[in-house]
């Protein structure tokens, strides 16, 4: 539902930060830490990686979602189910429409499967920051897992009470988080300003050509910087297009500065594993524990955004008759989009706990993460190509959509290397909603024919 309250510019931006950008906003906690576990920390390779990060966010978030996808909405709402509704009204019944429908089914299923791994990796990566607190360096893995599980239990138990009451603090907390990301990144960048030349795509191409197949597989970890980009489009119905776009440009600048700062820190301190936490502790040791607490709050908000987004996607599936009827509880008397679906909530809860217990560490979760995201991005791109092909005035957008979709597909192919390392869980988790959708829609057709 598109809320049309006459909010000021900054009010809309801050609310967007709390609802939309939790996932992509917390990716600096683990992205470069995972990438540099595979890549040597020479200045040349760091420039290449940073260039890849910058252009991944530009192409797969700014161009694909902020510019292209958000220009397409149905009744003010976005997402793959809404793209299917747009195509249903554009195409005649036939193979093309059936193909579009099947793409939507897979895309939604991948998105729902991804909704399980995201809370697990964000919570686990934040909890691991405790290891940098003086005196807690040797804390056992079991204790870290227990803390992560307790946070997850609290998060999911709270869902039935609704997020409306605490949602108003989400935005300000995320604003502080992004200011901290920008400030810590900037403090590092001033020590080596020439790192900013990483915005030149030449360094990305140089890295890929020099590293060959190994460089190609690094893309499967680089994509972690863009996870959560699909939320811009999926949450368009909650906040409207303009507040989300305005917030994204600020968020993008903060993320860019922080990644640049982490890149410098990686060169200067090749022995430190957790880059964001290490950088903050090095810059302001007395502020490290407050920053760690802020990180935990940001990851809880990010997880909340994913859960709320999952409820929204399922709700779209219910209203468009793709999914069987489920009990929906409205947790706010003012905002219709604030909903709680008990069955979905407890399925997510069990799956998130299972992921934490199976993978145990954020670096192992990262090995399972990314395939569903890139698959969903590729499918959104294909569906946008179909939509733009039906509108003569938007042929130029179709051309751009083709390029973006090809790039998303390259990233998707790179993530296939993760299947033996745990990415098969993305497929297992996505198979649950996909099976449900196929059985339900086919059953409805059979019932309609028998009448």
């Amino acid at each position: 539902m598109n809320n049309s309250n006459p909010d000021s510019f900054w009010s809309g931006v801050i609310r967007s930060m709390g609802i939309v950008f939790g996932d992509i906003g917390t990716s600096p906690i683990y992205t470069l830490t995972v990438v540099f576990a595979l890549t040597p920390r020479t200045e040349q390779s760091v420039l290449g990686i940073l260039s890849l990060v910058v252009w991944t966010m530009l192409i797969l978030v700014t161009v694909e979602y902020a510019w292209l996808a958000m220009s397409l909405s149905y009744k003010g709402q976005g997402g793959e189910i809404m793209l299917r509704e747009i195509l249903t009204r554009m195409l005649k019944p036939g193979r093309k429409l059936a193909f579009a429908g099947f793409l939507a089914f897979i895309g939604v299923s991948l998105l729902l499967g991804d909704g399980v791994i995201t809370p697990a990796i964000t919570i686990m990566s934040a909890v691991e920051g405790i290891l940098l607190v003086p005196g807690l360096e040797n804390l056992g893995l079991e204790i870290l897992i227990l803390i992560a599980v307790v946070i997850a239990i609290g998060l999911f138990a709270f869902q039935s009470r609704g997020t409306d009451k605490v949602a108003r603090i989400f935005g300000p907390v995320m604003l502080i988080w992004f200011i901290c990301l920008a400030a810590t990144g900037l403090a590092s960048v001033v020590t080596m300003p020439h790192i900013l030349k990483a915005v030149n795509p030449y360094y990305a191409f140089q890295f890929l050509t020099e590293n060959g197949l190994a460089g190609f597989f690094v893309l499967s970890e680089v994509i972690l910087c863009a996870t959560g980009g699909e939320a811009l489009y999926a949450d368009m119905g909650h906040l409207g297009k303009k507040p989300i776009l305005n917030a994204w440009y600020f968020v993008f600048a903060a993320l860019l500065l922080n990644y640049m700062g982490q890149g410098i820190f990686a060169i200067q301190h090749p022995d430190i594993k957790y880059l964001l936490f290490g950088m903050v502790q090095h810059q302001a040791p007395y502020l490290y524990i407050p920053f760690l607490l802020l990180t935990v709050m940001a990851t809880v908000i990010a997880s909340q955004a994913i859960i709320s987004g999952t409820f929204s996607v399922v709700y779209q599936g219910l209203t468009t008759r793709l999914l069987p009827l489920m009990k929906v509880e409205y947790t706010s008397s003012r905002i219709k989009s604030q909903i709680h679906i008990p069955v979905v909530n407890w399925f997510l809860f069990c799956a998130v706990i299972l992921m934490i217990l199976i993978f145990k560490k954020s670096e192992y979760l990262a090995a399972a993460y990314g395939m569903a995201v890139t698959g969903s991005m590729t499918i959104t791109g294909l569906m946008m190509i179909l939509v733009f092909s039906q509108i003569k005035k938007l042929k130029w957008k179709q051309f751009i959509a083709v390029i973006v979709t090809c790039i998303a597909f390259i990233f998707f192919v790179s993530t296939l290397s993760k299947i033996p390392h745990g990415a098969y869980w993305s497929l297992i988790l996505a198979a649950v909603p996909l099976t449900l959708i196929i059985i339900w829609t086919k059953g409805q057709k059979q019932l309609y024919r028998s009448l």
Side-chain angles (χ1 to χ4, degrees), residues 64-386:
E64 178 168 10
Y65 287 104
W67 294 350
L68 293 179
M70 291 184 75
S71 68
L72 301 170
S73 65
Y74 179 73
K75 294 182 179 177
Q77 294 191 67
E80 282 154 339
I81 291 177
M82 294 302 107
L83 280 175
R84 176 180 173 269
E85 290 299 300
I86 293 168
L87 285 166
T88 302
R89 280 148 183 80
M90 282 183 160
L91 301 172
K92 294 176 182 176
R95 287 184 181 178
K96 197 180 277 190
L97 185 58
F99 174 66
F102 187 63
L103 281 179
F105 296 168
I106 296 174
V108 167
S109 301
L110 287 171
L111 211 57
L112 293 174
D114 183 51
V116 169
I117 298 176
T118 302
I121 192 172
T122 50
I123 293 170
M124 204 65 227
S125 58
V127 168
E128 285 166 354
I130 296 170
L131 294 173
L132 272 71
V133 175
L136 299 178
E137 301 92 341
N138 300 316
L139 206 64
L141 182 62
E142 295 80 9
I143 301 295
L144 294 178
I145 292 169
L146 180 63
I147 295 168
V149 168
V150 168
I151 292 171
I153 290 170
L155 178 67
F156 284 96
F158 189 78
Q159 295 304 312
S160 60
R161 300 187 182 185
T163 57
D164 189 27
K165 291 175 184 176
V166 292
R168 62 192 71 171
I169 70 160
F170 283 4
V173 169
M174 291 309 291
L175 177 63
I176 295 167
W177 169 252
F178 287 119
I179 289 170
C180 286
L181 288 184
T184 53
L186 188 61
S188 197
V189 167
V190 293
T191 66
M192 195 191 287
H194 69 270
I195 199 78
L196 293 173
K197 65 184 181 181
V199 297
N200 187 337
Y202 164 77
Y203 294 101
F205 286 115
Q206 186 184 46
F207 178 84
L208 292 172
T209 51
E210 287 181 359
N211 290 276
L213 193 61
F216 175 72
F217 288 132
V218 167
L219 291 178
S220 68
E221 306 297 358
V222 169
I223 191 61
L224 297 178
C225 74
T227 56
E230 65 279 359
L232 274 76
Y233 189 38
D235 288 329
M236 192 165 71
H238 297 343
L239 296 158
K241 180 179 174 179
K242 282 188 178 179
I244 294 174
L245 287 179
N246 292 334
W248 166 240
Y249 299 126
F250 177 86
V251 168
F252 179 67
L255 294 174
L256 191 69
L257 276 172
N258 192 264
Y259 281 124
M260 294 289 177
Q262 283 191 51
I264 293 167
F265 189 77
I267 297 168
Q268 295 172 343
H269 302 84
D271 54 323
I272 292 180
K273 182 180 177 182
Y274 300 106
L275 291 175
L276 177 62
F277 293 129
M279 183 170 74
V280 173
Q281 192 182 49
H282 178 75
Q283 291 172 353
Y286 297 110
L287 294 175
Y288 180 70
I289 291 177
F291 178 79
L292 184 61
L293 294 173
L294 177 65
T295 304
V296 172
M297 288 175 73
T299 54
V300 167
I301 291 169
S303 302
Q304 177 60 60
I306 292 293
I307 297 163
S308 300
T310 303
F311 290 160
S312 297
V313 170
V314 171
Y315 187 71
Q316 285 181 352
L318 296 176
T319 54
T320 53
R321 292 182 294 177
L322 292 182
L323 288 166
L325 292 175
M326 301 175 195
K327 183 184 178 184
V328 178
E329 297 173 354
Y330 293 90
T331 57
S332 170
S333 57
R334 298 183 301 107
I335 307 170
K336 192 179 177 183
S337 58
Q338 291 281 344
I339 56 173
H340 172 244
I341 306 175
V343 173
V344 176
N345 186 58
W346 293 114
F347 172 78
L348 279 176
F349 168 71
C350 294
V352 167
I353 298 297
L354 184 66
M355 291 298 101
I356 292 172
L357 294 177
I358 288 174
F359 288 97
K360 296 182 173 67
K361 292 184 179 181
S362 63
E363 60 190 283
Y364 298 154
L365 274 160
Y369 197 32
M371 192 167 74
V373 176
T374 50
S376 182
M377 286 175 171
T378 305
I379 286 168
T380 299
L382 288 170
M383 294 181 77
M384 286 195 300
I385 291 167
L386 282 173

